[in-house]
Amino acid sequence: MLKLSQYAELEKDIPCINKLLRQLHPEAPKVTKEIMVKMLEKSNVKIAILRDKSKNNQIFGMASLHVIRTFFGLKGIVENVIVDEEYRGKGRGKELMNGLIEAAKKKGVVYLELTSGPERQNAQKMYESLGFKKRETNVYRLELK
Ligand SMILES: CC(C)(COP(=O)(O)OP(=O)(O)OC[C@H]1O[C@@H](n2cnc3c(N)ncnc32)[C@H](O)[C@@H]1OP(=O)(O)O)[C@@H](O)C(=O)NCCC(=O)NCCS
């Protein structure tokens, strides 16, 4: 997990994180150090990361867990699941997700949810192989800004 105590390394990590986010959403606005600090300060947010020891510990995969309290207990929302294209197909995505699932269990989360665009076939195979079940529902969004 990425920790705020690794603050000194954040400067080095931000470009890697932005590279990953651009692979997920090419138009994504850049994440800054301030944004990362705000996220890491929240006890309900966990960021699982994969680092390459042979490349100066650079980040090549990440996924975030956002825990919210509902009437039915703690719900975990998984966001921003991404493995750098150079590292895909070697089990790293599953490793990343398993790390996040363990973190969610430790926090007492009752269930995890995520959304995934229908074109992301590899991601859907991965989620299903991890035990996620597809639910038929509609996702609505109201843009406020
Ligand atoms: C989805 C993603 C994170 C998977 O990472 P990865 O490191 O390649 O995944 P893994 O090697 O751990 O494979 C996990 C499972 O995904 C499926 N999978 C991954 N790549 C696949 C491929 N090329 N063809 C078919 N299935 C594939 C398999 O079910 C695999 O499990 P198995 O090997 O036990 O059968 C990665 O492809 C990615 O970053 N994609 C672009 C971003 C994205 O779509 N993110 C999801 C947003 S919802």
Side-chain angles (χ1 to χ4, degrees), residues 5 39 42 51 54-56 60 65 82 87 90 92 97 99 110 114 132:
S5 55
M39 280 182 80
K42 299 263 181 223
R51 289 187 189 274
S54 71
K55 287 196 181 164
N56 196 23
F60 66 89
L65 167 71
I82 176 96
Y87 294 80
K90 296 174 188 153
R92 310 315 298 271
M97 285 300 297
V110 183
L114 56 84
F132 283 78

Side-chain angles (χ1 to χ4, degrees), residues 56-123:
N56 196 23
N57 250 358
Q58 75 181 27
I59 295 178
F60 66 89
M62 64 178 236
S64 59
L65 167 71
H66 306 258
V67 178
I68 56 173
R69 182 166 290 283
T70 75
F71 291 120
F72 312 111
L74 294 179
K75 163 180 176 171
I77 299 174
V78 179
E79 293 272 358
N80 307 311
V81 179
I82 176 96
V83 170
D84 186 287
E85 47 205 5
E86 280 180 39
Y87 294 80
R88 288 181 197 161
K90 296 174 188 153
R92 310 315 298 271
K94 267 190 171 170
E95 181 187 334
L96 185 67
M97 285 300 297
N98 280 325
L100 216 55
I101 292 167
E102 283 312 306
K105 281 184 187 164
K106 270 193 200 149
K107 278 192 157 283
V109 168
V110 183
Y111 61 91
L112 291 175
E113 274 188 1
L114 56 84
T115 60
S116 182
E119 72 286 1
R120 300 189 189 277
Q121 302 269 316
N122 293 347

Side-chain angles (χ1 to χ4, degrees), residues 101-144:
I101 292 167
E102 283 312 306
K105 281 184 187 164
K106 270 193 200 149
K107 278 192 157 283
V109 168
V110 183
Y111 61 91
L112 291 175
E113 274 188 1
L114 56 84
T115 60
S116 182
E119 72 286 1
R120 300 189 189 277
Q121 302 269 316
N122 293 347
Q124 273 129 51
K125 285 198 186 106
M126 177 175 78
Y127 299 138
E128 280 166 21
S129 78
L130 286 163
F132 283 78
K133 301 269 184 296
K134 189 173 160 188
R135 300 178 78 224
E136 291 301 336
T137 187
N138 297 318
V139 176
Y140 290 89
R141 178 180 290 190
L142 175 64
E143 298 284 353
L144 298 178

